[in-house]
Amino acid sequence: MITQMSWHPQYRSSKFRHVFGKPASKENCYDSVPITRSVHDNHFCAVNPHFIAVVTECAGGGAFIVIPLHQTGKLDPHYPKVCGHRGNILDIKWNPFNDFEIASCSEDATIKIWDIPKQLLARNLTAYRKELVGHARRVGLVEWHPTAANILFSSGYDYKVMIWNLDTKESVIVSPMRTITCHQDVILSMSFNTNGSLLATTCKDRKIRVLDPRLGTVLQEASYKGHRASKVLFLGNLRKLLSTGTSRWNNRQMALWDQDDLSVPLTEEDLDGSSGVLFPFYDSDTNMLYVVGKGDGNIRYYEVSTDKPHLSYLTEFRSYNPQKGIGVMPKRGLDVSSCEIFRFYKLITTKSLIEPISMIVPRRSESYQEDIYPPTAGAQPSLTAQEWLSGMNREPILVSLRPGSQLLSPRTLPPERLLSSAGAPASPLPLDPTAKLAAEGSWRPCSLLEEKVPRWAVEHRLEEKKSWITNGFDVFECPPPKTENELLQMFYRQQEEIRRLRELLTQREVEAKQLELEIKNLQMDSGKF
């Protein structure tokens, strides 16, 4: 039986009841960005802790631009582009395990893999690392596998989903590892479960399918007539799916499904009568669901639970500026010091603007909030491509977002992975400076039992390393400012760094005085005996 949810549910206790959206100030937005005018229902934006990539309007083929995350303000009209496709680009996705590798797909029926240099682009980037040629018609979606390295999925207007293994030396890959041919129309969205063993898709025939991606077989299929789905999303480990689409009365609608039984939805909710597509985003760490409407400026958010009513409405971020597309920052790129639990990058074509919006849990304490930052998926794969293709499944490798923490489930990569990734740079974690320093060989974490050093000395050493990075900004890898706005930003960052160093110095002086008092007390105690 389908239950209609009330728009304002009864009072319930939740630590996320007061989450609010905080748009960035004008100087922290990205201005004068030539955002694409494509009418496809894709995000057109991809974000990682280093870069923001946006599909742009370009004559004579498709292109996108890659902007360093800290380079806010007005964009140079002649800013270099990443161009090499012969048709419009329809989707872009960053590799979750390599922050300097991105995949793009286009109307020219190809997928291209690009290596983005660490330094700023001086001219247009036209040399791609790999080209995947297999689709007969334009390619609409690309998705990286969530746990296996070098596995990429693509779907095209030839009604096929193709699985590509990029762990090869060939620069042009003609044949995919697998081709899934169960769809009868254009695929509208793809979503993986947590370990990547299941793939959910929506199709233009308005059916939701749950597939075994390695076998290409359909495990579940929804042919429910009351909900025409356009986007689908796995809800973490809750064994549930969420789809967005339209009702039989053409209202925008959400539906929640049991992934093992797609005959009837668990619950449905009509939102409004607008015509724009609803993009759902799920945060498995906080069990929060965000619903972003294309063509309007609102972001609704809910809390998801296994018990009825399953979806609990929290509140809504409202804005007058409609979004063309949206990008989402991975959890490892968030600012934990301000209790930020999610961050959107909103594409506003009417202003040629990209506006970051931070979702913040209001807390008075400035210390690290362990309860809102559980261990989250890191930037290290848990499987090689061959392991996944052979049938293995593993959960993601988790990391803590606490500054200075290490991997919670460390795993030594097999020799195959080490060989295949020798040419690709590892993805550093901006919120984990100790891991970065350990990788560079300049500092190794050690236990207090191995070295007889006092706790304050270890904390002092860690604080020194942490001071290199301010708000996710590495002061030693900073490009020289080119505009007055960038110069002002650099000045403010340096002022902030000076303030932090002064606070650190004051703290060390207090610790030194405390140690002097302890030494005097010990001397007095020894004199008595």
Side-chain angles (χ1 to χ4, degrees):
M1 177 140 185
I2 300 170
T3 58
Q4 289 289 336
M5 293 176 54
S6 62
W7 182 249
H8 296 290
Q10 295 179 351
Y11 174 80
R12 55 189 298 277
S13 176
S14 169
K15 67 183 75 171
F16 303 112
R17 273 188 73 236
H18 302 291
V19 169
F20 66 94
K22 182 181 179 182
S25 58
K26 180 71 173 179
E27 57 268 17
N28 290 322
C29 294
Y30 305 84
D31 200 0
S32 303
V33 181
I35 302 168
T36 180
R37 296 189 182 93
S38 173
V39 296
H40 282 80
D41 294 325
N42 285 347
H43 297 160
F44 299 123
C45 179
V47 188
N48 69 24
H50 289 88
F51 301 106
I52 175 169
V54 184
V55 179
T56 65
E57 196 65 25
C58 179
F64 62 95
I65 57 174
V66 176
I67 309 170
L69 207 67
H70 59 77
Q71 189 178 322
T72 55
K74 194 167 184 178
L75 193 71
D76 188 337
H78 303 291
Y79 192 85
K81 295 180 174 64
V82 181
C83 48
H85 284 285
R86 296 183 300 276
N88 292 330
I89 292 177
L90 301 181
D91 197 16
I92 49 175
K93 291 285 185 346
W94 288 105
N95 187 339
F97 311 120
N98 183 353
D99 287 343
F100 301 93
E101 183 177 68
I102 190 170
S104 63
C105 63
S106 168
E107 290 181 349
D108 62 8
T110 66
I111 303 114
K112 288 181 169 57
I113 311 299
W114 308 83
D115 284 334
I116 305 300
K118 292 184 180 181
Q119 65 274 14
L120 287 174
L121 289 173
R123 58 180 66 88
N124 287 351
L125 179 64
T126 57
Y128 48 83
R129 186 167 66 87
K130 288 184 186 295
E131 184 178 36
L132 316 180
V133 182
H135 286 280
R137 298 178 65 188
R138 55 186 173 183
V139 187
L141 294 168
V142 286
E143 286 287 346
W144 293 91
H145 193 275
T147 59
N150 296 313
I151 294 291
L152 183 71
F153 282 63
S154 64
S155 71
Y157 279 63
D158 52 4
Y159 312 158
K160 295 178 181 177
V161 176
M162 295 187 177
I163 306 174
W164 306 87
N165 180 9
L166 307 183
D167 199 2
T168 60
K169 294 181 179 178
E170 291 83 9
S171 60
V172 178
I173 304 175
V174 178
S175 56
M177 300 300 295
R178 301 277 189 280
T179 302
I180 301 172
T181 58
C182 62
H183 298 89
Q184 306 301 317
D185 211 325
V186 177
I187 296 113
L188 301 177
S189 71
M190 298 188 290
S191 175
F192 289 99
N193 64 344
T194 305
N195 63 8
S197 60
L198 296 175
L199 175 69
T201 64
T202 53
C203 186
K204 209 169 181 180
D205 60 10
R206 300 305 183 183
K207 292 182 180 180
I208 301 172
R209 295 174 176 86
V210 176
L211 316 171
D212 183 328
R214 281 171 288 221
L215 300 177
T217 55
V218 180
L219 305 178
Q220 290 286 331
E221 183 175 293
S223 55
Y224 177 68
K225 302 297 184 184
H227 176 76
R228 292 173 293 187
S230 59
K231 302 292 179 185
V232 69
L233 195 65
F234 267 103
L235 298 181
N237 290 319
L238 299 181
R239 301 190 64 81
K240 289 179 173 54
L241 292 169
L242 182 117
S243 64
T244 62
T246 56
S247 68
R248 64 182 67 194
W249 312 111
N250 278 337
N251 291 325
R252 291 201 294 190
Q253 187 182 62
M254 293 190 308
L256 191 71
W257 309 79
D258 183 347
Q259 75 177 43
D260 300 318
D261 181 14
L262 298 183
S263 57
V264 179
L266 297 174
T267 184
E268 291 176 298
E269 179 172 342
D270 286 1
L271 298 183
D272 54 39
S274 300
S275 59
V277 171
L278 293 170
F279 296 121
F281 298 93
Y282 180 67
D283 182 3
S284 58
D285 299 336
T286 60
N287 290 333
M288 285 184 65
L289 170 72
Y290 302 87
V291 181
V292 182
K294 180 181 178 181
D296 55 66
N298 303 336
I299 300 174
R300 299 174 176 90
Y301 36 107
Y302 303 77
E303 197 165 6
V304 185
S305 63
T306 54
D307 304 323
K308 291 184 179 180
H310 301 300
L311 292 174
S312 301
Y313 175 75
L314 293 173
T315 186
E316 181 177 6
F317 170 80
R318 293 178 178 272
S319 170
Y320 294 108
N321 298 318
Q323 54 247 358
K324 168 84 174 183
I326 203 87
V328 173
M329 172 66 75
K331 292 299 285 285
R332 55 194 175 88
L334 299 180
D335 180 13
V336 297
S337 63
S338 63
C339 296
E340 182 184 36
I341 58 171
F342 217 75
R343 190 191 304 162
F344 293 99
Y345 287 80
K346 181 175 168 179
L347 305 187
I348 305 171
T349 45
T350 54
K351 295 185 176 181
S352 299
L353 186 74
I354 304 174
E355 180 184 43
I357 299 172
S358 299
M359 311 308 292
I360 293 175
V361 180
R363 293 284 173 92
R364 292 187 178 181
S365 174
E366 295 183 359
S367 60
Y368 179 74
Q369 305 293 309
E370 197 82 46
D371 61 323
I372 62 175
Y373 294 116
T376 189
Q380 182 177 338
S382 54
L383 288 168
T384 63
Q386 290 302 325
E387 284 175 340
W388 184 79
L389 290 169
S390 65
M392 292 180 64
N393 292 318
R394 284 199 193 118
E395 295 299 314
I397 295 179
L398 302 180
V399 296
S400 171
L401 295 182
R402 181 188 289 274
S405 61
Q406 301 297 312
L407 290 176
L408 299 182
S409 50
R411 183 187 305 280
T412 55
L413 289 176
E416 175 191 342
R417 168 61 186 161
L418 295 174
L419 288 171
S420 66
S421 62
S427 170
L429 299 182
L431 295 177
D432 193 355
T434 58
K436 180 179 176 181
L437 293 164
E440 293 172 353
S442 59
W443 183 77
R444 295 182 180 274
C446 55
S447 67
L448 297 180
L449 296 176
E450 293 174 357
E451 290 188 13
K452 302 295 183 180
V453 293
R455 184 182 180 86
W456 66 266
V458 176
E459 291 178 351
H460 168 63
R461 195 187 318 172
L462 183 61
E463 194 68 36
E464 281 184 340
K465 305 298 180 186
K466 196 168 72 174
S467 67
W468 290 6
I469 294 179
T470 305
N471 296 328
F473 176 77
D474 193 337
V475 296
F476 293 108
E477 294 182 359
C478 165
K482 294 183 178 179
T483 64
E484 184 179 353
N485 190 26
E486 290 180 11
L487 187 63
L488 278 173
Q489 289 178 25
M490 184 68 63
F491 171 73
Y492 292 138
R493 288 188 181 117
Q494 288 178 349
Q495 293 295 314
E496 178 70 14
E497 189 65 24
I498 290 169
R499 185 189 63 79
R500 288 188 55 169
L501 289 172
R502 282 176 178 164
E503 289 179 357
L504 192 63
L505 181 61
T506 305
Q507 186 180 352
R508 297 299 169 239
E509 288 175 352
V510 171
E511 290 176 358
K513 288 180 181 178
Q514 289 176 348
L515 287 173
E516 288 175 3
L517 287 173
E518 288 181 11
I519 292 171
K520 286 181 181 179
N521 291 336
L522 288 172
Q523 289 174 348
M524 292 175 64
D525 291 340
S526 60
K528 290 180 182 179
F529 294 101

